[in-house]
Amino acid sequence: MSTAHTWLVTGSSRGIGLELVRQLLEDPSNVVIAACRNPDGATVLKALHESDAAKGELHVVGLDVSDEASIRGSVKAVEQILGEGRGLDYLVNNAAAHNGDDSAFAFSSEAFTRIFQTNVVGPALMGEVYLPYLLKSTRKVIVNTSSGLGSISLDEYGPRFTTYAVTKTALNMLTNKQAKARPELTVISLCPGWVKTDMGGEAADLEPHESVSGILKVVTSLGPKDSGKFCRYNGEEWPW
Ligand SMILES: NC(=O)c1ccc[n+]([C@@H]2O[C@H](COP(=O)([O-])OP(=O)(O)OC[C@H]3O[C@@H](n4cnc5c(N)ncnc54)[C@H](OP(=O)(O)O)[C@@H]3O)[C@@H](O)[C@H]2O)c1
């Protein structure tokens, strides 16, 4: 008999986050807290309740990662779902925004600030706010969803996509700092590959289900020795 695991996934209304929730619900032992900024509009997510394939427990919670009050305000609902004594096994910081192509010498400071808030400050606050619940759990895992674009040594796009790339590099440093500050946690940065979503576009290499089945294999096999790593969806380690 498997033990129940609790998951909190941000940005679950569509794309990789939605597919994560869908696959997690195939396992009856999973309790999935699917966070999204507009639960009323998340019709596909909410329809998972009715799917025959969904065997796990689904709870949809409103949470805008770019809004500190929304992050802090989500705790009450999550606490009620977890109940007394049960911690949060997996925090998956998946939500992110992309502002398209820009360069180091031609960018919008408004967009830079906004994307940084969503992609870096949001995940950092999520870690801080949900730390007590992670510490109460058996797994204690934080997954910061990064990108190969955040790797300085790979940098396949040269001068392009500057704002988004900078936020993912900063997120990687957050992973490093979180792993060092709390050795009892397992914290990783994870690149999902290039995936066919609204963000990845139609030309991408992977279908969401291919990326997510890999992600879940990687994430559920993580142990403390993996903390502070930058992994890909297929288990490879990515250079910083
Ligand atoms: N797709 C790729 O090829 C690729 C490659 C590398 C890394 N990634 C990373 O993988 C993750 C998921 O990407 P994706 O491709 O699934 O992107 P996507 O299709 O654009 O979906 C983004 C998700 O994030 C949510 N979101 C955006 N801003 C938010 C906010 N302020 N608060 C809460 N939720 C917010 C969106 O919610 P709404 O529906 O409310 O807008 C949506 O659910 C991201 O971290 C992305 O950077 C993706």
Side-chain angles (χ1 to χ4, degrees):
M1 204 173 104
S2 55
T3 321
H5 281 128
T6 54
W7 298 75
L8 172 53
V9 181
T10 64
S12 61
S13 57
R14 56 195 166 91
I16 294 167
L18 176 64
E19 181 61 19
L20 273 167
V21 173
R22 199 189 62 72
Q23 290 195 24
L24 284 171
L25 288 175
E26 288 173 358
D27 182 341
S29 71
N30 284 330
V31 176
V32 187
I33 304 170
C36 58
R37 56 182 161 179
N38 177 18
D40 289 341
T43 46
V44 183
L45 173 66
K46 288 198 295 189
L48 292 176
H49 272 301
E50 275 86 57
S51 158
D52 289 342
K55 313 275 189 249
E57 214 178 293
L58 171 64
H59 302 269
V60 178
V61 166
L63 199 166
D64 181 338
V65 301
S66 67
D67 177 353
E68 180 165 355
S70 170
I71 292 176
R72 296 199 184 278
S74 68
V75 171
K76 201 170 163 205
V78 172
E79 211 170 56
Q80 272 174 5
I81 295 160
L82 293 174
E84 250 181 60
R86 192 161 62 171
L88 182 63
D89 289 301
Y90 298 91
L91 167 62
V92 184
N93 283 317
N94 165 76
H98 197 316
N99 60 320
D101 205 355
D102 60 5
S103 89
F105 298 104
F107 61 90
S108 146
S109 64
E110 178 281 320
F112 206 141
T113 308
R114 180 168 40 83
I115 304 291
F116 199 89
Q117 181 75 32
T118 301
N119 295 5
V120 186
V121 182
L125 280 170
M126 288 295 295
E128 186 195 60
V129 165
Y130 283 100
L131 178 65
Y133 304 91
L134 287 159
L135 292 176
K136 263 167 80 176
S137 79
T138 29
R139 294 288 289 136
K140 302 179 177 51
V141 172
I142 300 179
V143 177
N144 290 322
T145 309
S146 184
S147 165
L149 271 75
S151 164
I152 293 176
S153 36
L154 285 175
D155 198 16
E156 292 167 342
Y157 287 93
R160 302 184 62 197
F161 305 117
T162 295
T163 293
Y164 178 76
V166 167
T167 67
K168 293 299 187 181
T169 309
L171 184 72
N172 287 349
M173 183 56 92
L174 175 71
T175 295
N176 172 60
K177 294 292 185 188
Q178 287 177 327
K180 287 188 171 141
R182 286 288 182 168
E184 64 273 54
L185 301 179
T186 301
V187 188
I188 64 157
S189 274
L190 182 127
C191 171
W194 187 22
V195 190
K196 289 180 183 148
T197 62
D198 293 336
M199 189 184 290
E202 266 310 303
D205 296 329
L206 298 166
E207 295 295 336
H209 72 88
E210 297 174 291
S211 166
V212 167
S213 61
I215 290 172
L216 291 180
K217 273 193 205 119
V218 171
V219 168
T220 52
S221 0
L222 290 171
K225 66 174 182 354
D226 300 310
S227 200
K229 287 185 179 169
F230 185 12
C231 307
R232 291 193 80 206
Y233 74 98
N234 59 3
E236 282 172 16
E237 251 190 83
W238 233 190
W240 295 108

